Amino acid sequence: EYIETIAFHLSRTDADAEAAAWLEKAGDRATSIYANDTAETHYGNAIERLSRVDAHSDSSRAREKLADLLLRESRYEEARTLYEEALAQIPDGDRLWLARVQRKIGDVWGAQRSFLEQALARWDAAEETLGAEPPADDLAWWSEWLELQMSRMRQLYFAQRITESAEVAKRCRSIVDRYGTAFQRGRYFDEICIMTMRRDGYLPSEETIDAARLAVEALDGLGEAGLLGESLFALGFALLWSGAFDEAETAMLRALDLAERTGYAALRSMCSTYLTVLYRKRDDVDRVRIWNERSLQAADEAKRGEYVAMVAATRAWLAWKEDDLPAAETEARSAVADWQSTAASYPYMFWWAGLWILIDVAMRQERLADAVENVKMLFGPGQAKVPEPLATVLQSSIVAWEA
């Protein structure tokens, strides 16, 4: 409490540098307890005070911290602007700091999912800034190198470039074992989980679920709520597709609680979306209706267009459950059209959520050609695998129709 008191009193003086230092400390304290609005105010005031004095390094540090906060809240443009401003004031000789901020600018692009090339360009620049491998005992260099590689792995996952992601994972493994922090070991297993899940078409293997559990074990109790929330979500996500609904629900609800506590907008959106899918799989109409509205709010806040489309697909399912076929078809078509519109830059993998509604409506109305075209889309590039024996039955039906 004394930190905020000192910051308050100094902010009422003309001692700009000293006031900025204590305002930054107050921002750090607020960040540590996830008082995000308070932290934003303190960092903003520190930056304003530092603009009056010649303290470029201090200003860069405060800007970076505020940008970290805004990125967690999915305020991408503001975060990127602050990172760029911070980058411009970092001393040329501080390679690690320069590389870290360049990497974070790439992370902003990556978080938006449709900007792979922009993200990769920033990460390439960061790696070039880091330079050649240092002496083996330079743990800070290796730590930043690992952060870069795991950023690459995550974005290559979203772009469905799994071979490249696996190559990065292979390069990282020995470095994680030798130099990685506990946080980085957890993150590494988290990335392995989602990479192998994508590789296997969202029919998770034991390898995938084991990696997810290792990630949670590595991060639990370390005090990093955001990363723990990500790993809990990944575990719940894998368990959802393996049919372990009760355990999946427990993991994702815990992840959602951490997202709410920390203001982690993207994580809140992911949890809300796939909890809704889970309740749909359980055929729990009442919960689906409630959670779908929560999902829409969370997706809007996180700027997640693919999840807004999933809301439409779920509305289609709700209408279908009430035998309102026109409404079901309209909502399902809207969802699939939205996913198609971003397929080149971000291929979303669960079109089935809308396609199965369209298939059933077409079959009921004896529009067999439409039904077959939608069945074909279930097997499109990047789509989650249709499980056997259903996949063989559907593919045989396509062949018979086209004969």
Side-chain angles (χ1 to χ4, degrees):
E1 292 182 5
Y2 77 90
I3 293 175
E4 288 210 1
T5 301
I6 296 172
F8 172 76
H9 286 295
L10 284 171
S11 68
R12 298 169 71 87
T13 72
D14 294 329
D16 291 319
E18 193 173 3
W22 282 95
L23 285 163
E24 183 182 342
K25 289 178 183 178
D28 294 345
R29 182 180 182 281
T31 298
S32 72
I33 59 174
Y34 308 109
N36 294 347
D37 290 344
T38 300
E40 181 179 351
T41 298
H42 288 320
Y43 288 140
N45 288 337
I47 291 166
E48 194 276 328
R49 284 303 190 103
L50 289 167
S51 69
R52 306 176 190 175
V53 296
D54 186 16
H56 290 177
S57 292
D58 292 340
S59 180
S60 290
R61 186 178 60 248
R63 280 178 161 81
E64 181 185 0
K65 290 176 178 179
L66 179 54
D68 291 346
L69 180 65
L70 298 181
L71 176 55
R72 190 165 66 203
E73 296 180 340
S74 298
R75 293 162 62 179
Y76 302 122
E77 296 297 332
E78 295 169 84
R80 187 164 55 248
T81 296
L82 281 163
Y83 284 136
E84 294 282 10
E85 291 172 354
L87 187 65
Q89 299 183 63
I90 296 172
D92 289 341
D94 198 329
R95 292 191 304 159
L96 278 176
W97 193 2
L98 288 164
R100 184 179 73 231
V101 175
Q102 287 172 325
R103 186 248 306 165
K104 289 180 178 180
I105 295 170
D107 289 346
V108 177
W109 287 116
Q112 295 173 269
R113 299 195 179 173
S114 296
F115 298 97
L116 173 64
E117 297 308 320
Q118 292 92 327
L120 291 175
R122 283 296 189 170
W123 294 327
D124 288 344
E127 196 154 357
E128 184 176 348
T129 298
L130 272 179
E133 289 186 14
D137 61 353
D138 191 344
L139 299 183
W141 190 97
W142 286 110
S143 180
E144 182 54 37
W145 184 85
L146 281 172
E147 291 294 327
L148 265 169
Q149 307 318 312
M150 285 187 279
S151 287
R152 287 184 190 276
M153 287 176 67
R154 178 60 58 100
Q155 191 63 12
L156 290 167
Y157 158 82
F158 285 123
Q160 298 192 10
R161 289 163 57 171
I162 299 305
T163 300
E164 293 171 70
S165 183
E167 290 170 356
V168 176
K170 185 177 180 180
R171 288 202 306 271
C172 285
R173 184 56 200 258
S174 64
I175 305 302
V176 169
D177 289 341
R178 187 171 181 183
Y179 300 110
T181 65
F183 293 127
Q184 288 173 328
R185 285 191 290 275
R187 276 198 66 194
Y188 178 78
F189 287 120
D190 198 22
E191 299 301 333
I192 293 296
C193 165
I194 64 171
M195 179 190 72
T196 56
M197 192 156 28
R198 174 82 84 171
R199 179 198 66 194
D200 298 335
Y202 297 92
L203 299 176
S205 64
E206 285 301 314
E207 174 193 7
T208 295
I209 294 173
D210 287 346
R213 294 192 194 282
L214 286 170
V216 172
E217 289 172 9
L219 292 167
D220 207 355
L222 293 180
E224 180 47 70
L227 286 178
L228 177 59
E230 288 182 7
S231 67
L232 282 163
F233 169 76
L235 174 60
F237 194 58
L239 292 166
L240 167 64
W241 306 123
S242 68
F245 297 146
D246 290 349
E247 192 178 356
E249 181 182 26
T250 298
M252 285 198 278
L253 283 172
R254 189 178 169 201
L256 179 60
D257 178 64
L258 292 171
E260 298 283 4
R261 282 173 44 202
T262 60
Y264 192 164
L267 180 59
R268 181 167 54 237
S269 182
M270 292 188 293
C271 292
S272 299
T273 295
Y274 292 107
L275 280 164
T276 306
V277 171
L278 186 153
Y279 297 133
R280 175 175 166 175
K281 284 180 168 289
R282 281 183 176 165
D283 202 32
D284 189 336
V285 173
D286 290 339
R287 282 193 177 182
V288 169
R289 201 179 304 280
I290 292 167
W291 279 89
N292 203 42
E293 292 308 309
R294 294 179 183 176
S295 296
L296 178 58
Q297 180 182 0
D300 282 339
E301 290 175 357
K303 304 176 182 66
R304 292 266 78 94
E306 70 275 27
Y307 296 155
V308 173
M310 182 62 89
V311 169
T314 304
R315 285 176 177 163
W317 181 81
L318 288 166
W320 177 78
K321 292 292 288 184
E322 295 175 349
D323 213 31
D324 185 350
L325 299 190
E329 184 170 19
T330 297
E331 292 283 8
R333 285 192 183 283
S334 173
V336 173
D338 284 348
W339 290 323
Q340 286 176 315
S341 71
T342 61
S345 57
Y346 172 46
Y348 190 60
M349 48 282 188
F350 301 125
W351 293 14
W352 61 260
L355 288 172
W356 277 116
I357 304 297
L358 295 176
I359 292 165
D360 184 72
V361 171
M363 290 294 291
R364 289 205 215 179
Q365 296 175 349
E366 298 184 357
R367 293 185 283 117
L368 299 185
D370 290 345
V372 170
E373 289 305 309
N374 287 313
V375 169
K376 288 180 181 178
M377 292 171 69
L378 291 171
F379 298 95
Q383 290 306 296
K385 286 183 180 178
V386 179
E388 294 291 356
L390 179 59
T392 297
V393 172
L394 291 174
Q395 288 170 329
S396 298
S397 299
I398 293 170
V399 171
W401 174 262
E402 294 179 339

